[in-house]
């Protein structure tokens, strides 16, 4: 990022922070993809909260961005295990923010498994959670009872441009990885598992490249949507897998379980839009499969009479090329900042909430003034 771009981005976030300045500051824990442009967002969070720790998503850490953030903030190593059990989660939070009011900024539902006990046992006060992703939204939605407010931006209209462009980056990176081994998209039927905002974008872009598309989704409404857009819709996953030369997983949940991999046709490529722990049950794959690195970001899984290729170790394939979506990502980041003010007011009931439409409109207007000149 050039100096003038950095200055514009800092000015944009300063304007957003001024629009949504909370009456009082809470402590905060920030889980984030620590990509090249992310330090500006980190600085904005630090301007609106007492930023206690930054926890970068393990598979998306830009070394220079991490070094920059670490100069001014604590950067801790993030794992699912650290919040899977209440005692471990509490030990960590108490070590960083005992007796403080805390906001948890999440990407992927990391805090969900221990949220209820953390809320009841933490020596401070848990103001609530802000969740960025559909996968995380579902993790909180699936809890029996939310003990505190969870503000989700996952289904915000401000996220639509990001989702479309992420779909583009997934297709770009998948094609680039395949071409690195001398393979191409045309002539290779593709299966898109999941027809939400990301999956539909991926299917549309693959179709524009002349790829034959089949869609599988467990939601009958989404299956009808896929049919209305001209895609073939699979009746069952097993049959769909046997005919696909490329499988793109875009559910935000487990797309392929251990027993599914044996139905892949020989030489099929598998790629995902999120981390392998969210989309693929690789641990359930039979031990008879050997793993061999056969190219940049490509692993071959092989057993007697069967083999397939996995892109980027099963993690988001677009992170091979930085996963950039341009300035549109700053719309969602600004909405997260607006959600911070909502949490600090302390007037939200436990449950899932969203940022009000007038706040979204104000964010969009500010964004346009900076990035549509």
């Amino acid at each position: 990022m050039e100096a003038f771009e950095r200055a514009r981005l800092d000015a944009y976030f300063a304007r957003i922070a001024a629009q949504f300045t909370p009456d009082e500051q809470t402590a905060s824990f920030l889980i984030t993809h620590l990509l090249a442009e992310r330090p500006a967002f980190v600085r904005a969070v630090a301007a609106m909260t007492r930023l206690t720790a930054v926890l970068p998503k393990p598979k998306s850490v830009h070394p220079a961005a991490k070094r920059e953030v670490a100069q001014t903030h604590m950067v801790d190593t993030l794992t699912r295990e650290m919040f899977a059990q209440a005692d471990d989660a509490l030990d960590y939070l108490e070590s960083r923010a005992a007796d403080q009011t805390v906001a948890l900024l999440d990407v992927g539902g990391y805090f969900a498994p221990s949220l209820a006990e953390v809320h009841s046992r933490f020596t401070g006060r848990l103001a609530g959670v802000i969740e960025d992703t559909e996968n995380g939204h579902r993790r909180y939605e699936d809890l029996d009872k939310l003990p505190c407010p969870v503000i989700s931006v996952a289904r915000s209209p401000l996220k639509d441009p990001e989702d479309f462009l992420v779909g583009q980056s997934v297709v770009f990176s998948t094609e680039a990885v395949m071409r690195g081994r001398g393979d191409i998209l045309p002539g290779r039927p593709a299966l898109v598992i999941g027809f939400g905002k990301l999956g539909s974008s991926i299917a549309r872009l693959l179709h524009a490249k002349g790829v034959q598309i089949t869609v599988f989704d467990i939601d009958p409404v989404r299956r009808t949507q896929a049919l209305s857009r001209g895609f073939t819709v699979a009746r069952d996953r097993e049959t769909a897998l046997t005919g696909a030369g490329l499988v793109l997983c875009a559910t935000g949940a487990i797309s392929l379980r251990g027993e599914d991999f044996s139905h892949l046709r020989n030489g099929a490529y598998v790629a995902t839009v999120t981390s392998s722990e969210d989309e693929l049950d690789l641990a359930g794959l039979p031990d008879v499969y050997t793993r061999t690195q056969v190219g940049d970001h490509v692993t071959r899984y092989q057993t007697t009479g069967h083999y397939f290729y996995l892109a980027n170790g099963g993690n988001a394939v677009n992170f091979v090329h930085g996963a950039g979506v341009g300035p549109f990502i700053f719309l969602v980041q600004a909405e997260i900042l607006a959600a911070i003010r909502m949490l600090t007011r302390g007037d939200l009931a436990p449950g899932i909430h969203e940022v009000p439409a007038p706040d979204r409109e104000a964010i969009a207007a500010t964004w346009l003034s900076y990035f549509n000149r």
Side-chain angles (χ1 to χ4, degrees), residues 156-217:
S156 166
L158 291 182
K159 202 173 177 70
D160 289 347
E162 176 193 349
D163 288 333
F164 175 74
L165 292 167
V166 167
Q168 282 194 326
S169 70
V170 166
V171 172
F172 171 86
S173 293
T174 300
E175 184 172 24
V177 166
M178 291 172 61
R179 284 184 177 274
R181 297 198 65 257
D183 288 325
I184 59 174
L185 286 174
R188 183 178 286 268
L191 170 64
V192 178
I193 303 179
F195 199 70
K197 288 188 289 185
L198 274 180
S200 60
S201 172
I202 290 166
R204 186 168 49 191
L205 292 162
L206 286 172
H207 177 72
K209 289 178 172 286
V211 178
Q212 178 186 336
I213 307 296
T214 298
V215 169
F216 177 80
D217 197 300

Side-chain angles (χ1 to χ4, degrees), residues 79-101:
T79 66
R80 286 278 179 196
E81 290 71 26
M82 66 193 297
F83 300 111
Q85 301 296 326
D87 288 344
D88 295 334
L90 280 163
D91 285 347
Y92 173 71
L93 294 175
E94 296 286 2
S95 71
R96 294 281 185 261
D99 299 316
Q100 299 184 52
T101 300

